[in-house]
Amino acid sequence: MTGSSSRGEYPGAEHPSAGAPQPATRPGRILIPGTARQLGTFGLFVPAAGQRRIVEVSGHPLEVKSAEGDLLWISFQELTDCPATALDFASLAARFGEWVVDGVPDPAAAGTPGWNSPQWKRLLAVVDVLFAADVTVFLIGKALPDFGADSPLSLLLRVESDEELPAGHSSGS
């Protein structure tokens, strides 16, 4: 399911965290493909349509799938279509300690935004803001490549099948 041909294509030199000391792993996961069992293991459940909310990011309305308690659930498209800058998301990072970004496309797949697209640059910049705020991040996609050691996404642990789920895992860790 992973596209190893994408390894090393991450534009690390353009990324604000490139070269900065970082921990070996971050709280959160990359969930592929994001099955109900994978989500449930981490205390996550796909939001119902009635949970959609509008939150404000630096004066810009942002529609999200859910914004309840400590959890913000947003799609890749909602996140990357917002006109606010990545740093503007710091206020939401302070309000929500756990973020889920679903619908993350494979940047190496035909017909999807690639590594150098504004959408991927936005996602990576927002992830940096979230990491700086100690936010737990979950990325969900049907197929995502190995991101390579120079990508901040490599700091998230990957779960690519239900068989890879940790035994006895509780939400949030």
Side-chain angles (χ1 to χ4, degrees), residues 2-171:
T2 60
S4 59
S5 63
S6 298
R7 184 175 291 281
E9 293 179 6
Y10 171 75
E14 301 169 21
H15 202 270
S17 68
Q22 300 201 9
T25 60
R26 296 288 309 178
R29 301 287 190 276
I30 295 172
L31 301 177
I32 303 168
T35 64
R37 184 165 177 238
Q38 287 174 328
L39 296 173
T41 297
F42 299 101
L44 303 170
F45 304 94
V46 175
Q51 291 178 278
R52 292 196 73 76
R53 300 285 182 265
I54 295 178
V55 296
E56 188 175 303
V57 180
S58 291
H60 300 283
L62 174 64
E63 189 169 350
V64 299
K65 294 183 174 187
S66 181
E68 297 179 2
D70 197 36
L71 176 68
L72 181 84
W73 191 306
I74 188 170
S75 73
F76 177 85
Q77 184 171 354
E78 291 163 343
L79 178 69
T80 60
D81 283 351
C82 180
T85 69
L87 288 177
D88 292 336
F89 283 90
S91 64
L92 284 180
R95 285 179 49 201
F96 300 100
E98 191 169 65
W99 284 45
V100 176
V101 181
D102 69 7
V104 179
D106 181 346
T112 64
W115 282 124
N116 290 316
S117 70
Q119 295 93 334
W120 267 95
K121 287 180 181 181
R122 162 65 63 87
L123 174 68
L124 295 170
V126 170
V127 165
D128 267 352
V129 169
L130 298 177
F131 282 177
D134 252 353
V135 170
T136 300
V137 178
F138 291 91
L139 299 181
I140 303 170
K142 291 184 180 186
L144 295 172
D146 289 328
F147 291 105
D150 54 344
S151 169
L153 300 182
S154 68
L155 301 175
L156 294 170
L157 298 176
R158 297 173 68 90
V159 178
E160 297 187 61
S161 72
D162 289 350
E163 288 75 36
E164 293 180 16
L165 293 171
H169 187 275
S170 61
S171 174

